[in-house]
Amino acid sequence: MRFWFLRCLNTPCFTALPCMLGEATALAARVARSFTSTQTANRRGIAVGGAEVQEDFISEEEERTLLEELEPVLKRKHYEYDHWDDAIHGYRETERSQWNEKNSRVLQRVRDVAFPLGAKQLHLVHVLDLHRKGYIKAHVDSVKFCGSTIAGICLLSSSVMRLISEKNPTDVVDLLLPRRCLYILRDEARYNYTHEILKDEESYFNDVKINRDRRISVICRNLSEDHAE
Ligand code: OGA
Ligand code: MN
């Protein structure tokens, strides 16, 4: 099933596309970007403002409970390899507003940590299941439909998230996202840097190979100020 409340892409040349292409989904609009920079240094210790990772944010049991609720839904879908905006390769996804009690508590914890009191949030939680060979290319989430904060918990596999400054593409910062972590991208990291999830072959953090397996992210977002749900 496809959802139709759209997020538009945020580059001018693409603004007409989502409406023309029936493939547009309610899930985060992504703008794939390409970079000429060859610099991909891990610069541990050099933080990007607004990027945060909390290790072990959920327990193994909480991870299991989330998976129990998600697997039956995800299993019915096929992994897709050609997204209409070509930002994600090898994925299936869903959105969910109703969760069982235990999972609701976990998601409330995410919201409490990530969003300021009173921030208007998207009630639909985005669930993205990346195949072990899947990856997410560099993009910025739609500024029209998503607000200043993106908060995701990572299930099943660790991964490397790469942030690249839009102004200065040699400014590259990798974040290690360990399995069961919470990551938050706010403000500068959310607006001024693209983010991507590296494919297995490229998945190194400070020269240590981070094996990428199937990975599910459960992502909460807030609404942009001029957009009410
Ligand atoms: C997205 C995205 C990151 C993740 O869906 O826009 O960037 O952790 N996802 O899956
Ligand atoms: Mn994104």
Side-chain angles (χ1 to χ4, degrees):
M1 181 180 170
R2 289 278 179 193
F3 299 85
W4 291 98
F5 84 94
L6 296 178
R7 292 149 207 204
C8 283
L9 299 171
N10 63 357
T11 42
C13 59
F14 276 132
T15 43
L17 264 180
C19 316
M20 287 156 37
L21 297 174
E23 285 298 318
T25 76
L27 302 165
R30 307 164 184 98
V31 184
R33 304 279 166 88
S34 58
F35 293 92
T36 49
S37 165
T38 51
Q39 249 189 293
T40 54
N42 285 331
R43 298 182 351 181
R44 192 167 60 173
I46 300 179
V48 178
E52 198 185 306
V53 180
Q54 295 193 18
E55 287 184 25
D56 292 317
F57 185 80
I58 59 168
S59 66
E60 288 180 20
E61 197 198 326
E62 288 169 330
E63 181 186 42
R64 262 195 306 276
T65 309
L66 281 162
L67 288 169
E68 270 164 26
E69 184 161 6
L70 292 174
E71 276 292 26
V73 182
L74 292 169
K75 263 206 207 122
R76 291 201 294 267
K77 299 170 185 272
H78 295 287
Y79 285 106
E80 295 180 38
Y81 291 89
D82 292 305
H83 196 259
W84 60 275
D85 62 5
D86 202 30
I88 307 192
H89 191 80
Y91 74 101
R92 48 194 183 183
E93 61 191 347
T94 188
E95 288 178 310
R96 210 171 170 80
S97 57
Q98 300 293 325
W99 296 80
N100 71 35
E101 204 185 317
K102 283 185 184 161
N103 292 336
S104 299
R105 276 205 293 272
V106 171
L107 290 167
Q108 191 54 50
R109 239 165 61 216
V110 173
R111 294 184 189 282
D112 290 346
V113 169
F115 303 112
L117 261 181
K120 282 192 191 144
Q121 298 171 27
L122 270 154
H123 294 299
L124 285 167
V125 177
H126 177 198
V127 177
L128 182 66
D129 177 353
L130 264 191
H131 187 270
R132 71 187 166 82
K133 297 236 174 270
Y135 55 94
I136 304 178
K137 296 181 193 170
H139 69 279
V140 176
D141 284 22
S142 163
V143 293
K144 194 167 170 206
F145 291 93
C146 315
S148 61
T149 306
I150 301 163
I153 41 184
C154 304
L155 316 181
L156 290 178
S157 175
S158 299
S159 63
V160 177
M161 176 177 272
R162 175 161 294 160
L163 304 178
I164 304 180
S165 161
E166 292 224 87
K167 271 202 204 106
N168 175 14
T170 59
D171 182 0
V172 177
V173 177
D174 286 348
L175 300 177
L176 177 63
L177 302 184
R179 180 176 182 178
R180 293 190 299 279
C181 78
L182 167 72
Y183 72 84
I184 304 174
L185 302 179
R186 294 191 179 96
D187 306 322
E188 195 192 353
R190 182 264 183 270
Y191 291 116
N192 301 341
Y193 285 73
T194 59
H195 55 272
E196 62 194 287
I197 296 287
L198 302 184
K199 58 174 83 161
D200 182 48
E201 305 92 276
E202 294 167 3
S203 195
Y204 287 84
F205 187 76
N206 289 323
D207 298 328
V208 177
K209 178 78 176 63
I210 306 299
N211 288 328
R212 254 290 320 286
D213 211 325
R214 177 186 173 207
R215 168 188 186 271
I216 297 176
S217 49
V218 178
I219 306 167
C220 299
R221 294 179 172 88
N222 60 353
L223 289 160
S224 61
E225 307 231 314
D226 55 354
H227 185 80
E229 204 174 12

